[in-house]
């Protein structure tokens, strides 16, 4: 393992335009390809938008392919439920996947990604 | 806003379970106070028997300790008995003068053991069997004394007697009647039970009526009506229980035998609810935990202000918790007017099974020595399944309906902790036991949720139920009707009926009409609703792709790494060089890592990236292929053999017929996947007798077989009928698929569906009723007009659902 440098990078948090709200089906998701891996952007029935790493905390299933209901998604591989707001598995399952700030302005969806690629 | 105040009287199993359910629904709604007469937290009363037998300790049977109450901000008054309630001022008053105000009051005071008021019943050394205090008293007596008499040969009495015997006492069971456990067992089973208990060392005095308990400062014997006496240093009275309604009566709540409640568990005072053994609901009081837990769930729903759940009564079953004795009893096993007994008896092996049938339905069951099928009979009984078609093999158990392919083990108690129980999810016995004890699980659904054991293919369900019963006692579920899922109270059948009769044409409309509790439904009900709608109104309903599982949404099978597999349709399993070349080209072009011949006589291209799917489908379309629907709850394959065209034994053109059937049926959506095969002669090389619809050609025509399954549980088909022409084969096929489609529950394959509705019913609809058959066939063909659109072509050429296949954005 390499030891990272101690210099702090103050990254400007940037809102990244990723597409239009209407490009994401209600009760569905689309994928944003990023250097840190796929991010799934979900659209709930009430037009709330959420962004999670497209990896299920169980065995890495692509959450973007799951069935969306309320503010949750059921993973397509083994049916764990994940909270869209927090990325946490719904009890009794335990686990967590990364989540990202998202917003919609005038029908355009913006996503905020951390500056540096995630260490994995 | 200050919280409402909820006071619970009775810190027992039903009351605290209600609080647990309430905390799940509305954790912040109430400030809760609990009064418990016993000086303990909440414990699992049914495990007092194993504690007495020395198989468990008191610590092991605690369900909620003091910390739990503290963590949930519940005030617990242990050892404080409530003696008065002022309903006008809404105050509860305990014996020590503690006064607590309430907005809602919950009565869960349980039962009192009945003590026969014979002379001497108050002597020291006379105990009942109800709580920790009693168990402590018995354990103490067993250390100092030798002779115990248990009055009452019912469930509780025998468990007490067994425990005392294990503690080294000399135990005599006294019973008023001539058979033990007469409320659960018939004579032959009771006789087997008695002799097995005698072998362990218990003594019995049957038809003995207690007249007096003898002794001066402590018991020393029991005298009977006939004048005879037995020696006793300890007398356990286990002759029944009475709902504990002393306080309820005193404060003027309407009571009969128990506190009267309605279907919402509310008493005649709308602020006061009641659950548990103290309750009388629709004339019945329950003395088993499973129904009380259902009451708890309903009560919590109303306390939380949700206001929709209803308790409609329960059907219960019983087991005896004496290690090494297997006994199961349910329903009306005594028979009576219009009943028939079906009996299996093998005294040498200590096995006895009796089913009581009425109108071809199971009305009751008594099993002794071999109880593996208890849960199955109970299920058939609750569902009111017509068993006339399986009557011949009924007593041999579910496994004998076909050959159960997987598992076969059934004695879970003897298994080691590291024995694998669930083969799909790799869950061992030890893991399940640990989850049950550490997380306080009670039901099969709980265990499935926490451990995943039996949550996939389900073939180990029986084993998991046994582990559950061995660990926490028997809580077999008992609600009469099972709702579709947690989002609704309605059953599959009720929902389908509403869709038809109200002409509902969208998922939203169904949810509104049937009063769904959740905004969007869930991953269980939405796919089911979508199917019911397209099955009911083909062509009129818009298929809701967001309510379909990903395989059906993307028209390919998702793999464990997120790639997909592509299976083109190969009609009847017949292909040619040009098609194979086209497949090979596609495999090269898209760098397909694995090309495999499937078990369904076609070719699977595995490991395809999602973005590549539409173009790859386009290329396959050009070569004449359409989707094989290998991903769908739909027609899968029609397997064929070479048949009369080449085979020296072939009687008909099985290959050609198979292709015709596949051309007619492809693209159809069904409740679960649907497989067909056509074999050219009874040698049956296409394995038609394990398919949903199987055709076996014979010299004089075609045998039609239905309800076969080659999967988790192998089930050979039932013979539907014999027909003479290919046209008939097609018509019966369409008609059969259509009844199945219109009436089976979503995700129910033809095999379990036929076992549920009975082969006779299917015969009546498809074979005997010619006009009905023609109508079904017509409806099938009609819906095929809308269904036979190749989903691949739509996506490859017409750009349908492009968003499925391309990322929203690429960030670099
Ligand atoms: C590809 C194939 C295995 C193979 O390499 O041969 C296969 C692959 C899968 N089968 Fe199968 N089954 C395949 C033939 C069978 C057969 C044999 C047959 O059809 O003659 C059976 C037993 C016969 C039967 O169904 O009665 C079979 C019984 C199952 C079952 C158990 C069904 C049951 O009712 O017990 C499942 C699980 C399920 O459906 O819930 C299953 C589920 C699956 C799934 C869909 C698992 C999943 O959900 O991901 C697999 C998809 C892999 C993929 O992405 O392609 N597969 N599966 C076969 C495809 C045949 C085809 O051409 O379409
Ligand atoms: C030995 C034994 C074995 C059993 N085996 C099984 C089995 O195998 N399967 C099964 O399903 N069921 C079994 N049962 C039955 C099961 O335990 C009961 O049905 C269940 O415990 C009833 O729950 P409840 O909450 O209604 O009553 P309880 O659990 O009895 O709780 C009532 C509580 O209220 C308290 N209380 C009463 N009045 C007051 C008051 N005025 N103020 C404060 N507190 C008060 C009592 O002290 C008690 O703690 C068994 C019971 C016993 C005793
Ligand atoms: S292909 Fe079928 S048998 Fe093989 S692992 Fe998958 S589901 Fe199991
Ligand atoms: S990978 Fe998501 S549930 Fe298993």
């Amino acid at each position: 393992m390499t030891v990272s440098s101690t210099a702090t990078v103050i990254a400007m948090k940037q809102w990244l335009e990723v597409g239009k709200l209407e490009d994401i089906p209600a009760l569905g998701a689309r994928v944003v390809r990023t250097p840190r891996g796929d991010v799934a952007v979900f659209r709930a029935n009430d037009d709330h938008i959420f962004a999670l790493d497209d990896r299920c905390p169980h065995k890495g299933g692509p959450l973007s392919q799951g069935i969306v209901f309320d503010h949750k998604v059921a993973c397509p591989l083994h049916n764990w439920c994940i909270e869209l707001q927090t990325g946490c598995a719904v009890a009794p399952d335990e686990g967590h996947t990364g989540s990202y700030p998202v917003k919609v302005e005038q029908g355009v969806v913006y996503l905020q990604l951390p500056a540096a690629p995630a260490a994995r | 806003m200050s919280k409402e105040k909820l006071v619970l009287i009775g810190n027992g199993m039903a009351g605290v379970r209600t609080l647990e359910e309430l905390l799940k629904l509305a954790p912040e709604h109430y400030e809760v106070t609990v009064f418990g007469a016993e000086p303990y937290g909440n414990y699992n009363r049914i495990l007092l028997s194993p504690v007495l037998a020395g198989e468990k300790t008191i610590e092991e049977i605690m369900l909620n300790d003091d910390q739990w109450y503290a963590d949930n901000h519940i005030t617990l008054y242990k050892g404080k008995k409530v003696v008065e309630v002022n309903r006008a001022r809404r105050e509860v008053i305990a014996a020590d003068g503690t006064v607590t105000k309430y907005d809602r009051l919950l009565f869960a005071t349980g039962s009192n053991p009945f003590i026969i008021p014979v002379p001497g019943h108050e002597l020291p050394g006379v105990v009942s069997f109800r709580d920790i205090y009693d168990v402590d008293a018995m354990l103490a007596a067993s250390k100092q004394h030798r002779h115990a008499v248990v009055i009452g040969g019912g469930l509780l009495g025998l468990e007490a007697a067994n425990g005392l015997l294990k503690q080294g006492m000399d135990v005599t069971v006294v019973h008023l009647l001539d058979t033990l456990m007469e409320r659960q067992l018939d004579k032959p089973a009771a006789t087997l039970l008695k002799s097995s208990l005698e072998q362990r060392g218990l003594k019995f005095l049957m038809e003995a009526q207690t007249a007096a308990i003898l002794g001066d400062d402590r018991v020393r014997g029991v005298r009977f009506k006939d004048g005879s006496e037995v020696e006793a240093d300890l007398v356990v009275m286990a002759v029944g229980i009475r709902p504990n309604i002393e306080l309820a009566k005193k404060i003027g709540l309407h009571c009969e035998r128990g506190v009267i409640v309605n279907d919402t568990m509310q008493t005649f005072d709308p602020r006061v609810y009641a659950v548990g053994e103290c309750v009388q609901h629709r004339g019945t009081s329950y003395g088993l935990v499973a129904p009380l837990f259902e009451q708890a769930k309903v009560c919590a729903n109303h306390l939380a202000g949700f206001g929709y759940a209803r308790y409609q009564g329960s059907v219960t079953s019983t087991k005896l918790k004496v290690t090494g004795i297997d006994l199961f009893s349910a329903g009306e096993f005594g028979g009576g007017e219009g009943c028939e007994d079906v009996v299996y008896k093998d005294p040498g092996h200590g096995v006895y099974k009796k089913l009581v049938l009425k109108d071809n339905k199971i009305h009751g069951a008594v099993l002794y020595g071999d109880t593996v099928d208890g849960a199955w009979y109970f299920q058939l009984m609750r569902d009111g399944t017509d068993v006339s078609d399986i009557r011949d093999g009924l007593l041999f158990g579910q496994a004998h309906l076909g050959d159960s392919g997987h598992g076969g083990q059934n004695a879970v108690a003897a298994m080691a902790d590291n024995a694998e129980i669930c083969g799909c999810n790799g869950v061992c016995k030890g893991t399940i036991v640990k989850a049950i004890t550490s997380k306080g699980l009670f039901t099969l659904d709980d265990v499935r949720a926490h451990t995943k054991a039996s949550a996939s293919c389900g073939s180990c369900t029986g084993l998991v139920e046994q582990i559950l019963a061995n660990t926490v006692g028997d809580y077999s579920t008992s609600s009469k009707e099972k709702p579709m899922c947690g989002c609704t109270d309605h059953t599959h059948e009720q929902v389908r009926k509403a869709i038809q009769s109200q002409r509902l044409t969208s998922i939203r409309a169904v949810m509104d009409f049937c009063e769904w509790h959740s905004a969007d439904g869930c991953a269980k009900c939405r796919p089911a609703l979508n199917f019911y709608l397209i099955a009911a109104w083909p062509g009129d309903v818009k298929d809701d792709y967001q309510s379909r599982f990903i395989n059906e949404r993307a028209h390919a099978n998702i793999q464990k790494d997120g790639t997909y597999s592509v299976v083109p349709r190969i009609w009847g399993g017949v292909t040619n060089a040009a098609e194979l070349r086209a497949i090979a080209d596609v495999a090269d072009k898209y760098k397909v890592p694995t090309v495999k011949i499937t078990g369904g006589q076609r070719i699977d291209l595995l490991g395809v990236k999602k973005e590549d799917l539409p173009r790859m489908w386009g290329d396959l379309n050009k070569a004449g292929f359409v989707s094989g629907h290998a991903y769908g709850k739909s027609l899968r394959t029609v397997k064929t053999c070479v048949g009369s065209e080449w085979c020296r034994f072939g009687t008909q053109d099985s290959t050609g017929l198979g292709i015709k059937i596949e051309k007619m049926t492809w693209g159809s959506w069904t409740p679960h996947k649907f497989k067909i095969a056509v074999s050219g002669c009874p040698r049956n090389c296409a394995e038609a007798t394990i398919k949903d619809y199987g055709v076996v050609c014979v010299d004089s025509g075609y045998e039609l077989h239905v309800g076969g399954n080659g999967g988790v549980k192998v089930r050979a088909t039932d013979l539907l009928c014999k027909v003479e022409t290919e046209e008939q084969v097609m018509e019966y096929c369409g008609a059969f698929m259509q009844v199945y489609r219109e009436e089976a529950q979503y995700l129910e394959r033809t095999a379990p569906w036929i076992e549920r509705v009975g082969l006779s019913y299917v015969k009546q609809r498809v074979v005997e009723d010619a006009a009905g058959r023609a109508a079904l066939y017509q409806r099938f063909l009609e819906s095929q007009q809308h269904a036979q659109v190749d989903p691949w072509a739509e996506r490859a050429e017409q750009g349908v659902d492009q968003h499925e296949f391309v990322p929203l954005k690429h960030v670099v």
Side-chain angles (χ1 to χ4, degrees), chain B residues 312 382 478-483 489 491 494:
Chain B
Q312 313 199 46
R382 280 188 302 158
S478 58
S479 49
K480 280 185 173 153
E481 297 197 312
K482 226 176 155 192
D489 299 334
T491 61
Q494 289 166 336

Side-chain angles (χ1 to χ4, degrees), chain A residues 33-120:
Chain A
R33 291 267 139 89
T34 82
R36 45 185 294 123
D38 284 1
V39 171
V41 182
F42 298 88
R43 174 174 169 192
N45 222 11
D46 55 11
D47 283 351
H48 270 75
I49 295 286
F50 306 92
L52 298 180
D53 276 325
D54 198 13
R55 302 179 74 250
C56 175
H58 178 222
K59 291 191 176 170
L63 297 174
S64 58
Q65 315 291 295
I67 291 182
V68 178
F69 58 100
D70 301 338
H71 287 179
K72 302 187 189 67
V73 61
C75 175
L77 293 197
H78 316 97
N79 226 358
W80 279 31
C81 279
I82 312 296
E83 296 280 358
L84 295 179
Q85 184 70 57
T86 58
C88 291
V90 174
D93 295 321
E94 289 166 14
H96 173 264
T97 198
S99 69
Y100 303 92
V102 261
K103 65 174 180 186
V104 184
E105 271 169 15
Q106 268 120 37
V108 178
V109 181
Y110 299 87
L111 173 67
Q112 211 178 66
L113 294 172
R120 272 237 175 80

Side-chain angles (χ1 to χ4, degrees), chain B residues 395-415:
Chain B
L395 281 174
F396 300 109
Q398 190 173 23
H400 288 263
L401 284 186
D403 179 21
S404 64
H406 176 75
Q409 267 176 309
N410 54 30
V412 88
M415 285 178 165

